[in-house]
Amino acid sequence: MADHGLTQEVPTDSVSDMDRKQELTGTDSASDESKKPELNWNTFYEQRAGRLVVDPKEASIEFGEAIASKLKLSEDGTKVLWPQPTDSKYDPQNWSSLRKNMHLLIITLAAIVPDFDSGIGIAGTFQLATQYDTTTGVIINETANWSIFLLGWGGLFAVILIRRYGRLPVLFWSQVLAAAFLAGCTFAPNLRTFTVMRCLTALFGTAPQVTGLYVVTDLFPFHLQARKLNIWTMGFILSPFISPFAFGFLVARLSWRWAYGIGSIYGAIVCILIMLFMEETMYDRNIDPIPEPAEEGFSYRFKTLIGITGYKMSKYRLSWYEATASLFRVVWRPHLLIILVFEALVFGFSIGINVTTPCFWEHHHLWDTASRSLLSLAVMGRHWCVGIIIGELIGRFNNDYIMNVSIRRNNGVFEAESRLWACYVGIPLYICGFVLLGASFQNQLSPGAFIMGFGISMVAVMIITVAVYAYCNDCFPQHPGEISALVNLARTLGGFAVAYFQIPWAVKNGTLQVFGVESAVVTGLFFLCVPLIQIKGRYFRERFSL
């Protein structure tokens, strides 16, 4: 059974609904339905950016009973499916739940790769400085910060290629190259070679953090997307902390090269999973007629994986100019630009925590290497507990609750701005987590305080980030790749800058001031950005959406 369920008939209008319909249209139902223009249901979801009729009864009112009765509904019959699935077995919206969730699992594992690879250097910061006869500051500035910087820009190039050649070949080749360059880090003879390899790993490895939003929107209907995005974003939010946890003990007792070697093996495993189980999820709904495979079997799968099928299909898709210009056409839209600035600092400050934590531990002489590794283990245990249990519960119930309340209040219509109500839950947690983190460093509190601060702040980041992704995707359903690439760029640019000022600032004035001011800046931006978008969002969408 597919996630969206079977086709069902929309309930007939009640008398009050018929009256409301006449008030809205100024005509009776018979003449109204006869004048309804023919709608292209394959692209209707994209044309109604940010405003979707979700309630079946409202669909009867807005579209007419004759048209609405043909719409496909969710399993329980309470929601209209957007996008409307076709009748083809090749439409990813018609795949089984098992097939869809397997793809979601693999793309989440792949989304872990970029920040996981970047975080390996954090576990080995002191050993790298000793190996290459330099300081930890040089290691952080020349390798960690620049690899974070390139994580953002790599996504922009990935989305251009995806627009032309499809999701699968770009995902596959990017991960093959990332694994190869990470292996180069493992055997790097000097700091210059190591830096180049680490930066190239980041540049090519970031594709899953763009492809993931594509895959979620390709596979799942609108009303399930926020729930699935919660799982995907959890992967790359937690990933920078997995490698310090996994390799903390290893680099303390063996060489840092073992850490990079194991990271290369993980990248190779992801490549194998993509090769064996992933399929092309790109379904060209905007082409009439929709092109479908002329062959099946191993030969077709191999050609799709390496990009031959995508190359043949590229003549029907965007040109190189259109694929490149699409990013610039999207980025300046005010409702997107405002929320990108907000997300850049929300996520950027959290990246700064991960990059600078080893330096704070060293500066405050907090525990020895083994104790730090134990602390990393505790932090990761806390992260997984919070991220999977509490974060999933919040993502599942809070986002679904907000969506359902919004639909009821708007007479069966969903407005994209309602997604941002989740930020009101995230901001208080963000403040508490950051202030507790700053106090735990400065006042040398127990490891429990540090663990609590870390866990609370990361849950807050996940809540806010999922809301931002869902809102932007709802506003620009034709451009999930561009949205994902721009959000990824914003968060990495924010994180890239933090390490340069956070360490000297903390040394001079203390970590409590640093983390307190950072949380205050984010809170101030929240009050400036989120209410403005919620109030003026509909105007922005009607005036500026594509």
Side-chain angles (χ1 to χ4, degrees), residues 89-90 92 95-96 98-100 102-103 106-107 166-169 171 211 215 218-219 273-282 293 296 300-301 304-305:
K89 67 177 182 178
Y90 299 108
W95 292 356
S96 67
L98 177 62
R99 194 175 174 188
K100 291 181 177 182
M102 181 182 66
H103 280 70
I106 295 173
I107 198 64
R167 320 327 185 197
L168 184 59
L171 178 65
T211 314
V215 171
D218 288 340
L219 295 177
L273 290 174
I274 293 170
M275 183 170 56
L276 294 179
F277 301 109
M278 284 286 286
E279 300 175 60
E280 178 59 74
T281 62
M282 188 173 188
E296 295 185 15
Y300 172 73
R301 177 167 178 76
T304 304
L305 179 70

Side-chain angles (χ1 to χ4, degrees), residues 293-310:
E295 59 177 320
E296 295 185 15
F298 176 79
S299 175
Y300 172 73
R301 177 167 178 76
F302 179 74
K303 291 177 182 177
T304 304
L305 179 70
I306 66 174
I308 294 175
T309 303

Side-chain angles (χ1 to χ4, degrees), residues 326-438:
S326 180
L327 287 162
F328 297 97
R329 293 178 61 229
V330 171
V331 68
W332 66 268
R333 311 292 163 167
H335 47 316
L336 176 61
L337 197 57
I338 291 170
I339 205 69
L340 286 180
V341 173
F342 173 60
E343 173 66 11
L345 295 188
V346 168
F347 209 107
F349 289 145
S350 72
I351 293 176
I353 292 173
N354 193 43
V355 173
T356 57
T357 289
C359 294
F360 290 151
W361 278 343
E362 184 74 9
H363 177 70
H364 291 287
H365 307 289
L366 298 177
W367 318 297
D368 57 19
T369 302
S371 298
R372 294 166 188 166
S373 299
L374 282 171
L375 184 58
S376 293
L377 174 62
V379 170
M380 281 308 304
R382 179 76 180 179
H383 273 152
W384 283 110
C385 176
V386 172
I388 292 176
I389 300 176
I390 299 179
E392 174 61 21
L393 288 174
I394 292 175
R396 178 178 294 270
F397 295 107
N398 188 51
N399 287 322
D400 286 355
Y401 173 77
I402 290 171
M403 178 183 68
N404 291 328
V405 169
S406 171
I407 292 169
R408 286 199 302 269
R409 287 184 175 179
N410 290 292
N411 297 314
V413 176
F414 177 80
E415 299 278 353
E417 290 72 32
S418 66
R419 296 284 195 196
L420 298 178
W421 284 110
C423 297
Y424 289 81
V425 177
I427 286 296
L429 295 174
Y430 195 92
I431 297 170
C432 292
F434 267 64
V435 171
L436 184 55
L437 263 177

Side-chain angles (χ1 to χ4, degrees), residues 37 46 54 69 115 118 157 198 215 240 274 282 306 359 393 428 521:
E46 297 177 348
V54 180
S69 63
D115 289 305
S118 182
F157 294 108
R198 190 171 178 185
V215 171
I274 293 170
M282 188 173 188
I306 66 174
C359 294
L393 288 174
V521 170

Side-chain angles (χ1 to χ4, degrees), residues 214-226:
Y214 270 128
V215 171
V216 169
T217 55
D218 288 340
L219 295 177
F220 299 99
F222 152 79
H223 66 281
L224 295 178
Q225 287 174 7

